[in-house]
Amino acid sequence: MTEETVPWWMAGGLAAFWVARETWGALLSRRKERTETDANVDLLNGLVQRVKSLEESQAATTMQLAEEIKLRMTAQEEAHRLRLRVMSLESAMRQVGAVIPPEMP
C-alpha cells in the first residue's frame, strides 16, 4: 500500500457520509417546504373566506342602499303630490275668498 492512495474504505465512508448528509438535508428541506406550503394554503383559505365575507357584506349594503333609494324616491313623489294638492286646495280657497297665511320657513 502506498501513501499516495487513500484506502478504499475511507473513500467509501466519505462517499456514504456525503450521501447521508445530502439525504438528510433534502428531508429537512422537504419538511420546511411542506410547512411553508401548508402555511400558504392556510393563508390563502383565510383570504378567500375574507373576500367572500366582504363580497357578501358589499352585496347586503348595495341591496340596503337600493331599498333606501327606492323609499326616498317614493317619499319624494308623495311629497310632490301633496304639495300639488295643497297648492290646488289653496287656490280653490282663494277663489272663494279665504285668506291663507304665508308658509313658515
Side-chain angles (χ1 to χ4, degrees):
M1 183 173 194
T2 65
E3 293 181 12
E4 297 173 4
T5 61
V6 177
W8 64 269
W9 54 269
M10 194 178 279
L14 188 59
F17 173 74
W18 180 79
V19 168
R21 187 178 64 111
E22 291 298 316
T23 303
W24 184 252
L27 288 174
L28 290 178
S29 174
R30 171 80 172 127
R31 272 193 218 149
K32 181 181 174 188
E33 289 172 4
R34 180 68 181 168
T35 301
E36 289 174 354
T37 301
D38 290 346
N40 288 340
V41 167
D42 291 342
L43 177 64
L44 284 175
N45 286 336
L47 290 174
V48 166
Q49 290 174 354
R50 176 79 173 156
V51 167
K52 284 181 182 178
S53 172
L54 289 172
E55 286 174 345
E56 290 171 0
S57 175
Q58 183 181 10
T61 302
T62 302
M63 288 178 56
Q64 182 180 4
L65 289 174
E67 183 65 26
E68 286 181 19
I69 290 170
K70 180 181 170 188
L71 291 173
R72 284 182 186 214
M73 288 176 61
T74 303
Q76 287 176 351
E77 289 172 358
E78 184 68 24
H80 180 69
R81 280 196 296 272
L82 287 173
R83 271 190 236 104
L84 291 176
R85 180 72 177 145
V86 166
M87 288 171 49
S88 68
L89 289 173
E90 285 178 350
S91 175
M93 289 176 70
R94 282 191 184 101
Q95 287 177 356
V96 294
V99 177
I100 301 173
E103 189 175 316
M104 298 294 279

